Amino acid sequence: MSLSSVLEKIDQDLDGALERLMDLLRIQSISTDPAYAQNCQDAADWLVADLKSFGINAEKRQTPGHPMVVGHVEGDGPHVLFYGHYDVQPVDPLNLWHRDPFDPAIEDADGVKVIRGRGASDDKGQLMTFVEACRAWKSVHGTLPCRITFFFEGEEESGSPSLIPFMKENAAELGADIALICDTSMVAPGVPSIASQLRGMLKEEFTLIGPKMDLHSGHYGGTALNPLHAISAIVSSLHDETGRVSVEGFYEGVHEVSDELKRQWETCGFDEDDYLGSVGMSKAHGEAGYSTLELQWARPTLEVNGLWGGYNGAGSKTVIPSEAHCKITCRLVGDMDPVHVRSVVRKHIEARLPQDASIKWDNDIDGAKASVMNINRPEFEAARQALSDEWDREAVFVGMGGSIPIAGLFKDILGMDAMLIGFAQDDDRIHSPNEKYNVESFHKGMRSWARVLEALSR
Amino acid sequence: MSLSSVLEKIDQDLDGALERLMDLLRIQSISTDPAYAQNCQDAADWLVADLKSFGINAEKRQTPGHPMVVGHVEGDGPHVLFYGHYDVQPVDPLNLWHRDPFDPAIEDADGVKVIRGRGASDDKGQLMTFVEACRAWKSVHGTLPCRITFFFEGEEESGSPSLIPFMKENAAELGADIALICDTSMVAPGVPSIASQLRGMLKEEFTLIGPKMDLHSGHYGGTALNPLHAISAIVSSLHDETGRVSVEGFYEGVHEVSDELKRQWETCGFDEDDYLGSVGMSKAHGEAGYSTLELQWARPTLEVNGLWGGYNGAGSKTVIPSEAHCKITCRLVGDMDPVHVRSVVRKHIEARLPQDASIKWDNDIDGAKASVMNINRPEFEAARQALSDEWDREAVFVGMGGSIPIAGLFKDILGMDAMLIGFAQDDDRIHSPNEKYNVESFHKGMRSWARVLEALSR
């Protein structure tokens, strides 16, 4: 079966592929907020219909949360499972978007054509690169070079509560030779990248409670415990002055990066000045003594993602609030155990509660260990070559600062290795206002998957 | 003119007075939020109509902000000015109210009849005690025992931006022998109290800016400056471990309380256990080495009233936010100068900004010095005697932790001393959900003013 005719078909149908992606981007499938549950159903329905339109046997499958989409198609080569997610992050702060996040458009950004909208990069645009590659194969050859299982979830941005039960219940159906995942970025513009290690994640949330009720700062200023002062002292105790996490036992299971890997990373094309400078940083603010790439890929973090209490409206309110709130995520590396990390973080915080304060933990939290890929499998070298051909630049194995627990779950539950290939860029503003995906990422991403499928079929 | 017939009239007309107060409480005159500007106009209109209904020559007077109400009536005795405010605090968090804050009602609270609703105590209920006392005098005698100027403002809860210009422009019209102010509380239930010192106030608000945009905590966790960490470190640096404010120069102008005053305060009826215990505190959390009353009345404070940044919605969002925000109020005592305090607080905070962070101050802030009353004037002893007669308990001179800048302004701009008499209780939950005013405070408050007017006329 000819690859070049498939690549040609992808080039010819680029406008059609963009229109389909726009349709999917218009669906407000925010998974963390229950108000958008119906939109998540709509996104799953859209994907089922789209897969069916070119002959995939696809179904929406309900879960206690948002639905899964599962599709099957026969093919000549090995059996691969492709994973992506159709849910997106919340869009606030809305006033920082320069267009409606769910009214996507192709924009010109300093001469670069980009697809602007929530989910353009994470992960609807990336997911569709694979779907479109399959559509082109099917259209040109009437068949596919591999047997493929499509597996899309709608809870990736909210901790995937239904994922493990669903995978366990449907293990036989979901098993394949290898999983392909498109939810990662390239280490530098134009440098095709295969992720070989991903950080894990632990989420925590707590409320610190002081006075029984909100108080007037005239009557109780200087006599009542102020929860905003107390929570600030706790948050500021979490790191020392060198940027290191101060929680005792936090670094258990963390390994230093080997000299060999450090050398690879030094030449992988990562542009440190651009990475830091583009967001207004003059230096890396993490632990002293580590390179910026080590901090991003191989060191654990403890970051406060939300902190609030008291009055935040217009004008002022002379209140001592009853409560203060904090959301935390930790990124985990090496053999760090989420259960252990949770326990030491909670112990650290509870030991610092002042008299008359109490704490309420949100128990609806989750964690996932870090993942290290099995890059000795032949599929990795085949894919690396295919990507190098498409991008005319040697593809590289890189680390990733983000957390994609699915890779570890495929291994743990289905005994299946995973290969993560993505075409996002660091400036895609994923999770932020004005998210975008370069049209080049989308176009060459589709072509890359056509090449990878062909390489795997050999 | 007989006082007893006026007191009798007040007793007979209690239901009517409560109904009128309910009407005023239904008006949503929140002054800090521009969305309620028309409601503030409505409250001023209501007061003008009410004053006119018993023969006061009253007018609404526009300002660049919310309007003033000014009324005049002749009388036989000295000329007094009565001040109150018709604006109220915001009502959030709304879910903690057990009824609509603007649908007031008389409720039974553990056997005590209370008026429940926003502004019931602060300050609509208190303001109406004086108005109703005048109405009763007028109704019984056809005249009043003093010449009275009524002066109500609608910006007390939002820093009174129009007050100083208005007082300067209308100094001749507003001048009187003494000002009466009803916006304070009793030191203990049933203990009539005249405030002899009030804390001043300084408001500050700032935004700490780190990264240029919101970032993904996978891509930038451990490398970008997290403004939530930075603002926590700054807030926690504002106090030392003994509760003392750590800002250099903050305590300039603070005086220790005299032994004589300490003795008076020890016997004034203040119930420390109830004051702390009713809000869940087992001890006073301010500076070590001071009594709870000293902390509340005679020591300065620096309290964070609002702190926020990042994601605070349902679920989680793995964001490193670009900004973090903080609202602060300081209570000032003695000769502390708000301009100096602002300067040392800003200097302290700016000196602690980490690399790559910047700060934006809200310049739309205001401050007022502390006030000490001239209790040697004969009107104070006359009022003290009148209050003691009504409450059957020796009235006391007390300090106040709150800030009522108007007292200082009357002195500075109009050369007029002020006397602060109020009937609120510490458990009135002013500025909090479920604000109330005891029906007894309202009823005996009206009777108290009738007695005070009579005493002043002698």
Side-chain angles (χ1 to χ4, degrees):
Chain A
M1 287 192 292
S2 145
L3 173 64
S4 61
S5 54
V6 175
L7 297 177
E8 212 167 283
K9 175 72 184 165
I10 288 172
D11 295 346
Q12 285 164 0
D13 194 26
L14 176 59
D15 287 347
L18 284 168
E19 271 171 39
R20 287 184 287 273
L21 174 56
M22 295 293 175
D23 275 351
L24 180 56
L25 291 176
R26 284 186 198 102
I27 304 174
Q28 307 185 18
S29 47
I30 299 170
S31 61
T32 57
D33 188 337
Y36 295 88
Q38 182 54 48
N39 308 77
C40 291
Q41 295 284 339
D42 295 344
D45 288 335
W46 189 95
L47 285 164
V48 167
D50 191 59
L51 290 175
K52 282 184 165 170
S53 75
F54 63 96
I56 312 300
N57 179 17
E59 278 182 343
K60 180 170 79 170
R61 307 275 279 271
Q62 295 298 348
T63 73
H66 304 304
M68 307 285 176
V69 171
V70 180
H72 299 285
V73 65
E74 291 303 315
D76 299 327
H79 184 184
V80 304
L81 176 141
F82 176 81
Y83 165 90
H85 65 91
Y86 64 77
D87 62 319
V88 298
Q89 280 274 319
V91 295
D92 64 289
L94 195 55
N95 63 318
L96 296 184
W97 284 82
H98 67 244
R99 66 179 299 120
D100 178 344
F102 294 109
D103 177 24
I106 310 292
E107 292 181 355
D108 182 292
D110 296 327
V112 178
K113 282 215 180 312
V114 304
I115 306 154
R116 183 86 63 190
R118 173 55 90 225
S121 177
D122 181 20
D123 181 45
K124 289 173 175 173
Q126 302 238 64
L127 179 157
M128 289 301 288
T129 57
F130 187 85
V131 172
E132 294 293 346
C134 294
R135 191 194 318 272
W137 267 103
K138 200 82 190 320
S139 156
V140 169
H141 297 295
T143 180
L144 282 156
C146 300
R147 178 180 165 198
I148 301 176
T149 297
F150 297 84
F151 181 35
F152 305 145
E153 74 158 318
E155 302 181 330
E156 200 271 346
E157 303 293 4
S158 53
S160 301
S162 309
L163 187 63
I164 293 174
F166 187 87
M167 285 172 68
K168 286 184 173 165
E169 279 163 31
N170 299 278
E173 181 183 359
L174 294 173
D177 300 323
I178 193 166
L180 305 177
I181 300 173
C182 191
D183 196 17
T184 49
S185 56
M186 296 189 290
V187 68
V191 181
S193 310
I194 301 174
S196 64
Q197 59 183 67
L198 297 165
R199 291 197 288 194
M201 165 97 101
L202 174 69
K203 296 179 186 177
E204 282 280 19
E205 178 168 348
F206 67 91
T207 298
L208 187 154
I209 303 150
K212 278 188 193 169
M213 63 200 89
D214 283 4
L215 300 175
H216 184 290
S217 74
H219 287 181
Y220 281 96
T223 58
L225 174 73
N226 186 327
L228 299 176
H229 300 182
I231 208 163
S232 295
I234 284 173
V235 168
S236 73
S237 79
L238 293 167
H239 296 84
D240 70 14
E241 285 176 14
T242 69
R244 192 174 163 88
V245 177
S246 307
V247 173
E248 199 181 326
F250 183 81
Y251 286 92
E252 215 168 88
V254 178
H255 310 303
E256 297 297 317
V257 174
S258 70
D259 290 345
E260 163 61 19
L261 202 50
K262 275 191 205 171
R263 262 193 304 278
Q264 281 186 31
W265 288 355
E266 275 162 19
T267 58
C268 73
F270 173 71
D271 183 339
E272 180 177 8
D273 291 342
D274 180 62
Y275 168 83
L276 293 171
S278 65
V279 302
M281 297 293 111
S282 63
K283 63 164 192 176
H285 286 262
E287 293 169 87
Y290 293 93
S291 75
T292 300
L293 266 192
E294 281 179 278
L295 289 172
Q296 190 192 350
W297 293 348
R299 299 300 301 173
T301 67
L302 188 163
E303 297 282 348
V304 175
N305 307 116
L307 184 68
W308 72 101
Y311 183 67
N312 65 14
S316 77
K317 183 175 176 182
T318 50
V319 65
I320 296 175
S322 172
E323 298 184 348
H325 309 266
C326 184
K327 287 180 195 274
I328 289 173
T329 51
C330 298
R331 301 284 170 171
L332 311 180
V333 302
D335 294 313
M336 288 173 84
D337 172 9
V339 175
H340 169 75
V341 174
R342 178 194 305 183
S343 136
V344 294
V345 167
R346 290 188 175 192
K347 191 173 156 197
H348 176 100
I349 290 173
E350 287 174 357
R352 282 158 182 80
L353 274 185
Q355 192 174 330
D356 294 331
S358 61
I359 197 164
K360 211 168 58 192
W361 291 97
D362 179 6
N363 284 310
D364 193 22
I365 55 155
D366 57 312
K369 291 187 66 169
S371 300
V372 178
M373 307 302 137
N374 185 3
I375 61 174
N376 297 319
R377 285 183 63 131
E379 291 93 339
F380 278 78
E381 182 52 29
R384 206 187 63 74
Q385 194 53 59
L387 290 170
S388 304
D389 291 346
E390 172 60 27
W391 293 82
D392 209 17
R393 161 65 157 99
E394 204 68 12
V396 291
F397 292 122
V398 297
M400 285 280 161
S403 305
I404 307 179
I406 185 78
L409 297 177
F410 282 142
K411 187 73 188 174
D412 293 347
I413 299 173
L414 304 178
M416 181 166 60
D417 283 321
M419 181 155 64
L420 293 103
I421 299 172
F423 312 100
Q425 294 204 162
D426 280 343
D427 67 354
D428 277 357
R429 296 170 170 259
I430 69 169
H431 295 208
S432 299
N434 300 319
E435 179 176 351
K436 61 89 176 163
Y437 196 46
N438 288 10
V439 171
E440 185 194 42
S441 290
F442 187 62
H443 186 188
K444 289 175 86 74
M446 297 188 282
R447 290 173 54 100
S448 295
W449 284 122
R451 289 182 189 271
V452 168
L453 286 175
E454 194 268 347
L456 295 180
S457 74
R458 276 189 263 127
Chain B
M1 285 192 290
S2 145
L3 173 63
S4 61
S5 55
V6 175
L7 297 177
E8 210 167 284
K9 176 71 185 166
I10 287 172
D11 294 346
Q12 286 164 359
D13 194 26
L14 176 58
D15 287 349
L18 284 167
E19 272 171 39
R20 285 184 287 273
L21 175 56
M22 296 294 177
D23 275 349
L24 181 57
L25 292 176
R26 284 186 197 101
I27 303 173
Q28 307 186 17
S29 46
I30 299 171
S31 61
T32 56
D33 189 336
Y36 294 88
Q38 182 55 47
N39 307 77
C40 291
Q41 294 284 340
D42 295 345
D45 288 336
W46 188 95
L47 284 164
V48 168
D50 190 59
L51 290 175
K52 281 183 167 171
S53 74
F54 64 96
I56 313 299
N57 179 20
E59 278 183 342
K60 180 168 78 170
R61 308 275 280 272
Q62 296 297 349
T63 73
H66 304 305
M68 307 286 177
V69 171
V70 180
H72 298 286
V73 65
E74 290 305 313
D76 299 327
H79 184 184
V80 303
L81 177 142
F82 177 81
Y83 165 90
H85 65 89
Y86 64 77
D87 62 318
V88 299
Q89 280 274 320
V91 296
D92 63 291
L94 196 55
N95 62 319
L96 296 183
W97 285 81
H98 66 244
R99 66 178 299 119
D100 178 343
F102 294 109
D103 177 24
I106 308 293
E107 293 181 355
D108 182 294
D110 297 325
V112 177
K113 282 214 179 314
V114 303
I115 306 155
R116 184 87 64 190
R118 174 55 90 224
S121 177
D122 183 17
D123 180 49
K124 289 173 175 172
Q126 302 239 63
L127 179 158
M128 290 302 288
T129 56
F130 186 86
V131 171
E132 294 293 347
C134 293
R135 190 194 319 272
W137 267 103
K138 200 79 191 322
S139 155
V140 170
H141 296 295
T143 180
L144 282 158
C146 299
R147 179 182 164 194
I148 302 174
T149 296
F150 297 84
F151 181 35
F152 305 145
E153 73 158 318
E155 301 181 330
E156 200 273 344
E157 303 293 4
S158 54
S160 301
S162 309
L163 187 62
I164 293 174
F166 188 87
M167 286 172 69
K168 285 183 174 167
E169 278 163 32
N170 300 277
E173 182 184 357
L174 295 173
D177 298 324
I178 193 166
L180 305 177
I181 300 173
C182 191
D183 197 17
T184 50
S185 57
M186 296 189 291
V187 69
V191 181
S193 310
I194 301 174
S196 64
Q197 59 183 66
L198 298 164
R199 292 197 288 195
M201 165 98 101
L202 173 70
K203 298 180 183 175
E204 282 279 18
E205 178 168 350
F206 67 91
T207 299
L208 188 153
I209 304 149
K212 278 187 194 170
M213 63 202 88
D214 282 4
L215 301 175
H216 185 290
S217 73
H219 288 180
Y220 281 97
T223 58
L225 174 73
N226 186 327
L228 300 175
H229 301 182
I231 208 163
S232 295
I234 285 173
V235 169
S236 74
S237 79
L238 293 169
H239 296 84
D240 70 15
E241 285 176 14
T242 70
R244 192 174 162 87
V245 176
S246 307
V247 174
E248 199 181 326
F250 183 80
Y251 286 91
E252 214 169 89
V254 178
H255 311 303
E256 296 297 317
V257 175
S258 71
D259 290 345
E260 162 61 21
L261 202 51
K262 276 191 203 170
R263 261 193 303 278
Q264 281 186 31
W265 287 356
E266 275 163 19
T267 58
C268 73
F270 174 71
D271 184 339
E272 179 176 7
D273 290 344
D274 179 64
Y275 167 83
L276 292 172
S278 64
V279 302
M281 296 293 112
S282 64
K283 65 164 192 175
H285 286 262
E287 292 167 88
Y290 293 93
S291 74
T292 300
L293 268 193
E294 281 179 279
L295 289 172
Q296 190 191 349
W297 293 349
R299 299 299 301 173
T301 68
L302 188 163
E303 298 283 347
V304 174
N305 307 116
L307 183 69
W308 72 101
Y311 184 67
N312 64 15
S316 77
K317 183 175 176 183
T318 51
V319 65
I320 296 176
S322 171
E323 297 184 347
H325 307 266
C326 184
K327 286 181 196 271
I328 290 174
T329 50
C330 298
R331 300 284 170 172
L332 311 180
V333 302
D335 294 312
M336 288 174 84
D337 173 10
V339 175
H340 169 74
V341 173
R342 177 193 306 182
S343 138
V344 295
V345 167
R346 290 189 174 192
K347 191 173 156 197
H348 176 101
I349 290 173
E350 287 174 357
R352 282 155 184 82
L353 274 186
Q355 192 174 330
D356 294 331
S358 61
I359 196 163
K360 211 166 58 189
W361 292 96
D362 178 6
N363 284 308
D364 193 21
I365 55 156
D366 57 313
K369 292 188 66 170
S371 300
V372 179
M373 306 303 138
N374 185 3
I375 60 175
N376 297 319
R377 284 182 62 131
E379 291 92 339
F380 279 78
E381 182 50 31
R384 206 186 62 75
Q385 194 52 58
L387 291 170
S388 303
D389 291 346
E390 171 61 27
W391 293 82
D392 210 18
R393 162 65 156 101
E394 204 68 12
V396 291
F397 292 122
V398 297
M400 286 280 160
S403 307
I404 307 180
I406 185 78
L409 297 178
F410 281 144
K411 187 73 187 174
D412 292 348
I413 299 174
L414 304 177
M416 182 165 59
D417 283 322
M419 183 155 64
L420 293 103
I421 299 171
F423 312 100
Q425 294 203 162
D426 280 343
D427 67 355
D428 277 357
R429 295 169 171 259
I430 68 169
H431 294 209
S432 298
N434 300 319
E435 178 176 351
K436 61 89 176 161
Y437 195 46
N438 288 10
V439 172
E440 186 194 40
S441 290
F442 187 61
H443 185 188
K444 290 175 88 70
M446 295 188 282
R447 290 173 55 98
S448 295
W449 284 121
R451 288 182 190 271
V452 169
L453 287 175
E454 194 268 346
L456 295 181
S457 75
R458 276 189 265 130

